[in-house]
Amino acid sequence: MTVALDLTADPVELTAALVDVASVSGEEAELADAVELALREQAPHLELVRSGNAVLARTRLGRPSRVVLAGHLDTVPVEDNLPHRRTGSGPAALLHGRGSVDMKGGVAVMLHLAATTEAPNHDLTFVFYDCEEVDAARNGLGRIERELPEWLHGDLAIVCEPSNGVVEAGCQGSIRVELRATGKRAHTARAWMGSNAIHAMGEALRRLAEYQPRDVDIDGCTYREGLQAVRIAGGVAGNVVPDECVLTVNHRFAPDRSPELAEAHLREVFTGYQLTVVDLSPPAPPRLTTPAAKELVDASGGRPVAKLGWTDVARFAALGMPAVNFGPGDPTLSHTREEHVPVQQIRHCADVLRRFLA
Amino acid sequence: MTVALDLTADPVELTAALVDVASVSGEEAELADAVELALREQAPHLELVRSGNAVLARTRLGRPSRVVLAGHLDTVPVEDNLPHRRTGSGPAALLHGRGSVDMKGGVAVMLHLAATTEAPNHDLTFVFYDCEEVDAARNGLGRIERELPEWLHGDLAIVCEPSNGVVEAGCQGSIRVELRATGKRAHTARAWMGSNAIHAMGEALRRLAEYQPRDVDIDGCTYREGLQAVRIAGGVAGNVVPDECVLTVNHRFAPDRSPELAEAHLREVFTGYQLTVVDLSPPAPPRLTTPAAKELVDASGGRPVAKLGWTDVARFAALGMPAVNFGPGDPTLSHTREEHVPVQQIRHCADVLRRFLA
């Protein structure tokens, strides 16, 4: 039997109810059924579509602009942290449990607004999707982009991933490269006949240690770049001078640089090493000067900050839309066994979005 | 039927015959049978013992000193390099094939001397053993040391491994250590919250690159030390600041240092890193001032050189005997598909040892 969700109640209670329906990636059917049923019964003003374990709903009010709100239904695996539990009270009240932060608090806010905002000043599209926590190839938003592309169009995308209730704008790009040092094998008893590729990688590590990452300000948001070794491997045998060493480096770069410029920068930093790009995710500019984004920032009453990690915000940016992160919960608690969300942030996010849409 | 070997013929012909009896480690039975039969029939003056695929033979002449000659019967796997073939002529004549260098040339010299030297000025022990090219635990010399220890006693050990026909004295020690750098994990998008263990290993690589290995002279032999990274590994995931990096370093050290001093030296070089010893082979001093060793050097007519690699010479040194390497062939060709030995070196080694024993 499909779980009944009360979308008009306090979004905190709704978050607790959502947390208690386990929905590990690939197993979101029960929760998707509950979301679909609740929207069908409690938000009859919305056009509704089901796509696999994703549920899409939208208004057709003929407003001059459209805002897309997106959130994933799935979570990383449960770690003995279900059902939800609560601690503290008043402003210190916390709601614990798998998905409380990432991101059923945000989904609850979206569902609450879907049912209770019948006359928004923007047309609204709600996207509840599946498989965000697994390989990009399985990502439900990617499937929707391929199969129902018109459902993702709009003038602003708000991805309700945890952002501590602050508007996080754009996102940094990420490029991963492999640096290769080569040498010549020899027996370690006659090392001078060879050339040690691991030793040769020392200079690259020195450049990494001395590297000064940029802080880049765009639209009032500060992007803190980073350049980090994430893997190193080399070695043939315990008595052989190694002829190859591979260092994998991850560069997080601000949206003022294109992926091409970021790659060129790394080629400059690591002059003298063979460099191969193995992974590349483009950045998303904040674009907070666009009208709908400006309204949201005003409604939030706070200074927006830069999104540093890479999220599905970038998928919307790639579609040409301004896109921000805005949701309850501390993103650094995502995926931890101890994840918990301050209930006040859930209410705060619902209030901000209600103000924004009024 | 057991292969017939002519021990009294030219040791070059004997080398060719030995090469043509394949004897990859663990499959030495056919060759051991041939060696045993040949010694039994052509060297009846020797006391003979069979131990697995090893054959031991010795004189009992009551001489005041005893010389042990040792050589392994096994080879690394065949690489389409059998049967033997010959190229060149005169002083440039070469004998090619698996085992020609490592070490059937040396074994041929030993067999030839066993059959043709009936009145040596030292008592002689010949040790033809198995499984030298595989794990130390399977080494036939180790088994003989455990089961027939009196067969390894003497005043000088000559291991007839390839040494270009030059007396190579003692051998360097080898110590392998793991250096560990630790850090703190963090998402690479927020790298400043972590501490990168791979970056921290850069300083160790810098010390390796700047390290000046010693050249150490003992008994006229120069030992060239070495300090080489042989493996490096670190990394958690493509978007995580790694919290551990392990660097494996191999130090080859001259026999003037004990294993304890070598370890203390590495702890000094790599101050600041966790250091664990993972492998340790003691060095063997040349001891060329002992009477029998001095006689051999005189007979070889050449300047002895230091043995840089680690060989079973060190096993004899550990038994308290002076021990040297002396055999035909270039050791850097060992284990290569192209291994080949100058036939002149085979005859030279036989001549030197005949002079030494006369």
Side-chain angles (χ1 to χ4, degrees):
Chain A
M1 211 188 80
T2 303
V3 177
L5 301 170
D6 182 355
L7 306 188
T8 57
D10 181 351
V12 173
E13 299 309 312
L14 183 52
T15 302
L18 293 172
V19 166
D20 287 350
V21 183
S23 58
V24 175
S25 309
E27 300 162 15
E28 304 94 336
E30 186 183 2
L31 184 56
D33 288 348
V35 165
E36 182 183 356
L37 178 69
L39 287 171
R40 206 172 287 289
E41 292 184 346
Q42 300 169 52
H45 60 291
L46 298 178
E47 180 189 357
L48 205 70
V49 158
R50 175 80 178 244
S51 157
N53 285 334
V55 181
L56 312 174
R58 65 183 169 192
T59 60
R60 290 275 206 178
L61 301 169
R63 300 283 192 267
S65 61
R66 176 173 292 277
V67 172
V68 180
L69 293 111
H72 61 84
L73 297 176
D74 61 319
T75 69
V76 295
V78 178
E79 286 182 271
D80 198 22
N81 50 4
L82 284 188
H84 82 279
R85 59 190 183 83
R86 301 178 197 231
T87 58
S89 61
L94 301 174
L95 195 154
H96 304 252
R98 173 59 76 228
S100 56
V101 167
D102 191 6
M103 57 171 281
K104 293 186 175 176
V107 168
V109 169
M110 288 168 61
L111 284 170
H112 182 73
L113 291 167
T116 59
T117 313
E118 292 198 20
N121 54 0
H122 302 278
D123 263 308
L124 297 179
T125 303
F126 296 92
V127 181
F128 303 94
Y129 64 103
D130 54 305
C131 287
E132 192 269 351
E133 299 290 9
V134 287
D135 289 356
R138 293 173 61 193
N139 189 304
L141 200 56
R143 185 186 66 245
I144 293 164
E145 197 179 331
R146 290 188 299 274
E147 298 177 3
L148 301 164
E150 75 285 2
W151 277 83
L152 301 185
H153 291 173
D155 301 279
L156 172 68
I158 304 174
V159 177
C160 297
E161 289 263 10
S163 71
N164 279 312
V166 171
V167 174
E168 290 187 336
C171 75
Q172 296 204 116
S174 176
I175 180 171
R176 200 151 45 233
V177 300
E178 280 182 0
L179 303 176
R180 207 166 297 267
T182 53
K184 188 179 164 216
R185 288 192 197 186
H187 197 289
T188 50
R190 294 179 193 82
W192 62 89
M193 296 178 71
S195 167
N196 195 311
I198 295 177
H199 295 195
M201 200 51 95
E203 169 61 15
L205 294 186
R206 189 191 64 73
R207 293 182 202 169
L208 275 170
E210 290 184 359
Y211 186 83
Q212 296 289 337
R214 298 186 308 157
D215 285 355
V216 178
D217 284 317
I218 306 174
D219 293 354
C221 300
T222 303
Y223 293 87
R224 279 181 83 166
E225 294 191 330
L227 185 65
Q228 294 286 320
V230 292
R231 184 166 297 280
I232 190 166
V236 176
N239 59 354
V240 176
V241 176
D243 58 349
E244 184 173 88
C245 183
V246 178
L247 178 68
T248 310
V249 172
N250 183 210
H251 180 39
R252 301 287 173 146
F253 58 99
D256 67 329
R257 278 195 179 149
S258 65
E260 294 70 31
L261 283 175
E263 181 184 339
H265 174 62
L266 292 186
R267 289 194 183 278
E268 193 184 325
V269 170
F270 296 111
T271 303
Y273 292 93
Q274 292 175 45
L275 184 152
T276 313
V277 176
V278 291
D279 191 47
L280 184 55
S281 303
R287 299 184 61 189
L288 294 178
T289 53
T290 53
K294 207 165 170 311
E295 276 176 45
L296 175 64
V297 171
D298 290 345
S300 76
R303 222 180 108 77
V305 301
K307 181 72 188 174
L308 301 175
W310 197 91
T311 71
D312 277 333
V313 157
R315 290 182 184 265
F316 287 102
L319 295 174
M321 301 159 68
V324 300
N325 257 215
F326 180 69
D330 177 351
T332 65
L333 292 176
S334 296
H335 305 189
T336 67
R337 189 170 182 276
E338 297 72 27
E339 68 172 306
H340 57 265
V341 60
V343 301
Q344 212 171 31
Q345 283 193 10
I346 300 173
R347 293 200 186 101
H348 165 75
C349 288
D351 290 345
V352 166
L353 290 174
R354 198 177 296 114
R355 239 187 339 261
F356 165 58
L357 299 173
Chain B
M1 210 188 84
T2 303
V3 177
L5 301 170
D6 182 356
L7 306 188
T8 57
D10 181 351
V12 173
E13 300 308 315
L14 183 52
T15 302
L18 293 172
V19 166
D20 287 349
V21 184
S23 57
V24 175
S25 309
E27 300 162 14
E28 305 93 336
E30 185 182 3
L31 184 57
D33 288 349
V35 166
E36 182 183 355
L37 178 69
L39 287 172
R40 206 174 288 287
E41 291 183 347
Q42 300 169 53
H45 60 291
L46 298 178
E47 179 189 356
L48 204 70
V49 158
R50 175 81 178 246
S51 157
N53 284 335
V55 181
L56 311 175
R58 66 182 168 192
T59 61
R60 291 276 208 177
L61 301 169
R63 299 284 192 266
S65 60
R66 175 172 292 276
V67 172
V68 181
L69 294 110
H72 61 84
L73 297 175
D74 61 318
T75 69
V76 296
V78 178
E79 287 181 271
D80 197 24
N81 50 4
L82 285 187
H84 81 278
R85 59 190 183 82
R86 300 176 197 234
T87 59
S89 61
L94 300 174
L95 194 153
H96 304 252
R98 172 60 75 227
S100 57
V101 167
D102 191 6
M103 56 169 286
K104 292 185 175 176
V107 168
V109 170
M110 286 167 61
L111 285 169
H112 183 73
L113 290 168
T116 59
T117 314
E118 292 196 19
N121 54 1
H122 302 278
D123 264 307
L124 298 179
T125 303
F126 296 92
V127 181
F128 303 95
Y129 63 103
D130 54 306
C131 286
E132 192 268 350
E133 299 290 9
V134 287
D135 288 355
R138 292 173 61 192
N139 188 304
L141 201 56
R143 185 185 67 245
I144 293 164
E145 198 180 329
R146 288 187 302 273
E147 298 177 2
L148 300 164
E150 76 284 2
W151 278 82
L152 300 184
H153 291 173
D155 300 279
L156 172 67
I158 304 174
V159 178
C160 296
E161 289 264 10
S163 70
N164 280 313
V166 172
V167 174
E168 289 187 335
C171 75
Q172 294 205 118
S174 175
I175 180 171
R176 199 151 46 232
V177 300
E178 281 182 1
L179 303 176
R180 204 168 298 267
T182 53
K184 188 179 165 218
R185 287 192 196 185
H187 197 289
T188 50
R190 293 178 194 82
W192 61 89
M193 296 179 70
S195 166
N196 194 312
I198 294 176
H199 296 195
M201 200 52 95
E203 168 62 16
L205 294 185
R206 190 192 64 75
R207 293 182 202 170
L208 276 169
E210 291 185 357
Y211 185 83
Q212 296 290 338
R214 298 186 308 158
D215 285 354
V216 178
D217 284 317
I218 306 175
D219 293 356
C221 300
T222 302
Y223 293 87
R224 279 182 83 167
E225 295 190 332
L227 184 65
Q228 294 286 320
V230 292
R231 182 166 296 282
I232 191 166
V236 176
N239 60 355
V240 176
V241 175
D243 58 349
E244 184 173 89
C245 183
V246 178
L247 177 70
T248 309
V249 172
N250 183 209
H251 179 41
R252 301 286 174 146
F253 58 99
D256 67 330
R257 278 194 180 150
S258 65
E260 293 71 29
L261 283 175
E263 180 185 339
H265 175 62
L266 292 187
R267 289 193 183 278
E268 192 182 325
V269 170
F270 296 111
T271 302
Y273 291 93
Q274 292 174 45
L275 184 153
T276 312
V277 176
V278 291
D279 192 47
L280 183 55
S281 303
R287 299 183 61 189
L288 293 178
T289 53
T290 55
K294 207 165 171 314
E295 278 177 43
L296 175 63
V297 171
D298 290 346
S300 75
R303 223 179 107 78
V305 300
K307 180 73 186 173
L308 301 175
W310 198 90
T311 71
D312 277 334
V313 157
R315 290 183 184 265
F316 288 103
L319 295 174
M321 300 160 67
V324 300
N325 257 216
F326 180 70
D330 177 351
T332 66
L333 292 176
S334 297
H335 304 190
T336 67
R337 190 171 180 275
E338 297 73 28
E339 67 172 305
H340 57 265
V341 60
V343 302
Q344 214 173 29
Q345 282 193 11
I346 299 173
R347 293 198 186 100
H348 165 75
C349 288
D351 291 345
V352 167
L353 290 175
R354 198 177 296 111
R355 244 190 331 268
F356 164 58
L357 298 173

